[in-house]
Amino acid sequence: DIQMTQSPASLSASLGETVTIECLASEDIYSNLAWYQQKPGKSPQLLIYDASSLQDGVPSRFSGSESGTQYSLEINSLQSEDAATYFCQQHHDYPPTFGGGTKLELK
Amino acid sequence: EVQLQQSGPELRRPGSSVKLSCKASGYSITDYLMHWVKHRPEHGLEWIGWIDPEDGETKYAQKFQSKATLTADTSSNTAYMQLSSLTSEDTATYFCARAAGTLVMDAWGQGASVTVSS
């Protein structure tokens, strides 16, 4: 199975700041990477797929990028509603596998 | 609006089974694959498998092949997952999620908690 190593496990940031969350794939996943947001008590929501394609309705302050097998989610101009857990998922091969998650707290 | 409404929390004895439901609204389940995902805080998210409600085709992760059974009822627009021979390792929250394409999940249920305890 493809391992997805996500970092950091948690981070704290202030309103208006920019944060970056990373996922490292154990092998080439050919840009087949999705990012999800899960707020407490809510269902996960798809943010980005194919490494950098923004899901309909997702604010443009969310963006995804890649460098080799390292994938990044950047959130610009943090807003209070961005406090959540974020996780990555490779959608290249079976079984689809997930990163361990990053809990983002707003100061 | 696409919604997936899952059944409520379940408490089961070890060795028993449980059947979870996932009722879709806002679309026809025959138009998309339906995934099931397991979540335990200390283990993260694990993909269980998917079902194609149109023809009943299923695909499972190897570790869940003898644990989970995925079915669907197109008349009620509902997908189901049965978990058998429950152990404490099955204590988790289970999500259903609609597939966008094949392995991307673009809509999720709210999750169903299963607790296995004697």
Side-chain angles (χ1 to χ4, degrees), chain A residues 18-79:
Chain A
T18 296
V19 297
T20 301
I21 299 168
E22 296 182 333
C23 263
L24 179 66
S26 61
E27 60 186 80
D28 198 340
I29 57 172
Y30 303 94
S31 304
N32 293 304
L33 192 284
W35 289 99
Y36 300 87
Q37 175 195 65
Q38 186 176 20
K39 297 181 181 180
K42 300 290 188 181
S43 311
Q45 301 291 316
L46 175 65
L47 298 174
I48 287 169
Y49 59 95
D50 293 345
S52 59
S53 297
L54 205 63
Q55 175 69 351
D56 290 346
V58 174
S60 59
R61 63 178 183 276
F62 292 90
S63 63
S65 62
E66 62 181 284
S67 176
T69 59
Q70 178 100 335
Y71 294 82
S72 300
L73 171 70
E74 184 174 281
I75 312 173
N76 293 310
S77 303
L78 274 174
Q79 300 188 11

